[in-house]
Amino acid sequence: MKRLLLITWLAIALVASVSAAHAQVGKSVTIADANTIAEAELAKLPGMTATIAKSLVAKRPFLSVTVLDQALTGAGLTREQISTLYGRIFVHINLNTASKEEILLIPGVGQRMLHEFEEYRPYAALAVFHREIDKYVDDAELARLEQYVFVPIDLNSASDADILTIPGLGSRMLREFKEYRPYDGIERFRREIGKYVSKEEVARLERYVTIGKK
């Protein structure tokens, strides 16, 4: 009986680890991506107005949360209002390259958790973040933190599920991402995907990808 329970537990753990591997951008449950949220929805958020929402949409895409932060400050929002807003919208941070400033913009993250975020770099996958940060917080807090982060996907080997975690990316663009494999460099990605979207949108998408070593 004990052996059967052990086998069952291992099977569940294996499924969980495989599932986690197919989520290189943290799954959003309560946090919307600031670059893809509809203007009308943005205007309804705490501290926002229709005028501010319109001005923010005009400035998109935001290539980092610090740029978003500057835009919100420039729009007249207080630090308290911005912190509250980050409980509803954000621009994902790259776990491997995010600055201390970016990490500390995540609501509830202080110096101790900043240290833990940085300690396990480089992250090979979001599953590593899940495993390591799970040592310090409960499941609910881990799920909340994962909404703010990502680990770049390898353009040449990423699964469909991985690619589709990129905010705003649907089935049509998934097809274009895969059509030009294998990519021999990021310039190829820029050139080919630039056929379908603006250079600003290419720059936004580029944040989430990398080219693996051959």
Side-chain angles (χ1 to χ4, degrees):
M1 183 66 179
K2 289 183 178 179
R3 185 169 182 272
L4 179 60
L5 287 173
L6 177 61
I7 292 172
T8 301
W9 182 87
L10 289 173
I12 293 171
L14 178 61
V15 170
S17 65
V18 170
S19 298
H22 291 291
Q24 299 308 303
V25 180
K27 182 180 179 181
S28 293
V29 178
T30 59
I31 312 298
D33 183 84
N35 284 316
T36 60
I37 185 173
E39 182 179 328
E41 293 303 311
L42 183 59
K44 297 176 184 177
L45 297 181
M48 298 296 292
T49 65
T51 300
I52 295 175
K54 187 176 185 64
S55 69
L56 289 176
V57 169
K59 292 181 173 70
R60 296 196 306 203
F62 299 104
L63 300 186
S64 72
V65 69
T66 51
V67 176
L68 171 62
D69 200 70
Q70 291 165 5
L72 292 171
T73 301
L77 274 70
T78 65
R79 178 48 51 189
E80 183 178 359
Q81 287 175 317
I82 293 172
S83 295
T84 298
L85 193 59
Y86 287 164
R88 304 291 298 277
I89 63 168
F90 207 71
V91 176
H92 295 93
I93 65 170
N94 185 332
L95 278 169
N96 291 326
T97 62
S99 66
K100 287 179 171 59
E101 179 186 8
E102 288 178 298
I103 296 172
L104 289 171
L105 286 175
I106 297 174
V109 169
Q111 292 297 323
R112 175 179 173 274
M113 192 54 67
L114 167 65
H115 172 73
E116 306 307 343
F117 270 51
E118 295 181 319
E119 181 179 357
Y120 299 102
R121 288 175 168 174
Y123 292 88
L126 194 61
V128 179
F129 174 82
H130 188 282
R131 183 180 68 242
E132 301 299 350
I133 302 303
D134 192 39
K135 299 173 183 176
Y136 308 102
V137 298
D138 61 24
D139 290 347
E141 177 64 359
L142 178 60
R144 185 187 75 84
L145 292 173
E146 281 190 345
Q147 297 181 91
Y148 292 95
V149 302
F150 75 95
V151 175
I153 62 171
D154 185 337
L155 278 169
N156 289 328
S157 62
S159 68
D160 289 8
D162 284 341
I163 297 171
L164 287 172
T165 62
I166 297 174
L169 196 140
S171 57
R172 173 180 173 273
M173 194 55 68
L174 167 65
R175 184 173 64 251
E176 306 307 342
F177 268 49
K178 294 166 63 178
E179 180 179 353
Y180 300 102
R181 287 173 167 173
Y183 292 88
D184 55 8
I186 199 64
E187 286 299 333
R188 175 91 189 275
F189 173 80
R190 292 169 181 162
R191 183 172 66 251
E192 302 298 355
I193 301 304
K195 298 175 182 177
Y196 308 101
V197 296
S198 68
K199 64 179 182 180
E200 290 80 13
E201 178 65 358
V202 171
R204 184 187 77 83
L205 295 172
E206 184 182 323
R207 299 180 64 241
Y208 296 97
V209 302
T210 187
I211 309 293
K213 294 181 180 179
K214 295 182 180 179

